[in-house]
Amino acid sequence: MSGKHEQAPTETIDVGGTSLSYRALGPSNGVPVVFLTHLAAVLDNWDPRVVDGIAAEHRVITFDNLGVGASGGSTPPTIEEMASDAVTFIRALGFERVDLFGFSLGGMVAQVIALEEPQLVRKMILAGTGPAGGDGIEKVTRISYRDIARGLLTRRDPKEYLFFTRTPNGRGAAKKFLARLEERTNDRDKAISIRSFGAQLKAIHRWAKQKPADLSSIHQPVLVANGDSDRMVPTENTVDLDRRLPDSRLVVYPDAGHGGVFQFHEDFVKRVTEFLSES
């Protein structure tokens, strides 16, 4: 297992009779970092610089959960079920201990895994995400549909609006990010279905309406990150996570939105590799 995100073969594994798609790269030893992805994302939505940067020193696993991309099954409408499915996938690969990198929706899934299966998780990176019941998270559906429509009208990728600020810095970062997502030309993943996208939106909406969970029982070290102007999961949720997690550190990137960790990928990768390497 080595190479880059651009060439990493897409593999499948049978999980309880359902085929799940994944890619593995980086060293074949050590605690793997399992990436948990954002709303509507498939394997090709991960920033190659972040994947390759972390995989330079740590084993990285990216995957499509049930019903997403080329994976079989149907996408459940709750974060809790997504977390349970992710744990089943991790165990099917034979891992007994992992690090989790959860971005946006994936960060919500990661929190549930840490609460429900604490022995499985060594460390976590939570980016562009928030806790259950977090402020403003219920607006994700409205903002997503509005910016998808805006993207269609302007013939632009909605992620330009959803992930980045509209300042000169933000616009430049969006252009570079979207170009990086096109670097892989062979064996690309299937786009998410409308049905699965709808199920994910339902799950996020339910998460937003839940009572806040007691995060004080998550004793694993956590790196919490976001841009200072996140429109999808307002940045105050990231600050709230940092305040409520017993062993966390916070990084907030300036003039950056939901995709702040992709805009500042060099700094983010450096922080992540240092964080994961600490004993």
Side-chain angles (χ1 to χ4, degrees):
M1 208 186 337
S2 60
K4 298 207 162 201
H5 179 261
E6 199 178 332
Q7 293 99 22
T10 305
E11 303 178 65
T12 58
I13 187 168
D14 186 283
V15 180
T18 301
S19 176
L20 296 192
S21 295
Y22 72 98
R23 293 177 189 152
L25 60 162
S28 56
N29 58 343
V31 177
V33 188
V34 177
F35 282 39
L36 301 161
T37 200
H38 65 83
L39 171 69
V42 296
L43 295 172
D44 297 320
N45 288 107
W46 284 112
D47 189 331
R49 297 301 174 276
V50 171
V51 176
D52 292 343
I54 296 172
E57 294 185 29
H58 302 272
R59 178 163 34 171
V60 165
I61 309 288
T62 64
F63 78 108
D64 286 331
N65 214 335
L66 283 171
V68 175
S71 285
S74 59
T75 302
T78 70
I79 302 293
E80 289 74 17
E81 287 171 282
M82 291 177 190
S84 175
D85 293 338
V87 168
T88 304
F89 164 76
I90 290 165
R91 293 220 163 103
L93 286 177
F95 300 133
E96 294 178 5
R97 200 153 172 77
V98 297
D99 295 324
L100 298 176
F101 169 31
F103 175 61
S104 192
L105 167 65
M108 300 167 192
V109 173
Q111 290 172 61
V112 174
I113 294 173
L115 287 167
E116 298 290 327
E117 303 283 347
Q119 73 290 347
L120 187 63
V121 182
R122 187 186 71 117
K123 293 184 178 185
M124 282 198 298
I125 302 112
L126 301 176
T129 195
D135 193 43
I137 297 175
E138 78 283 351
K139 295 175 184 166
V140 163
T141 301
R142 194 165 73 233
I143 290 168
S144 297
Y145 279 130
R146 190 175 68 210
D147 281 355
I148 287 167
R150 195 174 171 193
L152 287 168
L153 288 170
T154 58
R155 296 186 181 178
R156 293 181 181 274
D157 190 305
K159 286 190 282 295
E160 285 192 41
Y161 305 116
L162 291 167
F163 279 24
F164 299 91
T165 59
R166 301 305 290 156
T167 65
N169 280 339
R171 287 169 192 253
K175 192 175 176 184
K176 289 176 184 173
F177 169 71
L178 292 170
R180 293 196 297 272
L181 294 190
E182 297 302 317
E183 288 174 356
R184 184 184 177 103
T185 53
N186 293 321
D187 184 30
R188 286 183 68 87
D189 201 1
K190 287 183 186 173
I192 195 161
S193 68
I194 297 292
R195 188 174 177 181
S196 288
F197 179 59
Q200 289 181 341
L201 283 173
K202 267 187 196 162
I204 293 170
H205 196 73
R206 283 179 171 156
W207 180 259
K209 296 295 184 185
Q210 281 177 30
K211 288 180 182 172
D214 178 10
L215 301 180
S216 66
S217 64
I218 296 177
H219 294 290
Q220 292 92 337
V222 186
L223 176 63
V224 185
N226 207 345
D228 64 358
S229 304
D230 188 344
R231 291 173 54 245
M232 294 196 77
V233 182
T235 307
E236 64 218 54
N237 290 288
T238 305
V239 177
D240 185 31
L241 274 177
D242 176 58
R243 191 169 51 236
R244 289 168 55 193
L245 289 161
D247 184 5
S248 76
R249 63 193 74 178
L250 173 68
V251 55
V252 177
Y253 291 110
D255 188 12
H258 193 60
V261 298
F262 306 137
Q263 182 170 337
F264 288 86
H265 58 85
E266 287 181 7
D267 180 82
F268 179 64
V269 164
K270 185 169 174 282
R271 288 175 189 266
V272 168
T273 49
E274 285 174 1
F275 169 67
L276 293 177
S277 298
E278 290 168 5
S279 54

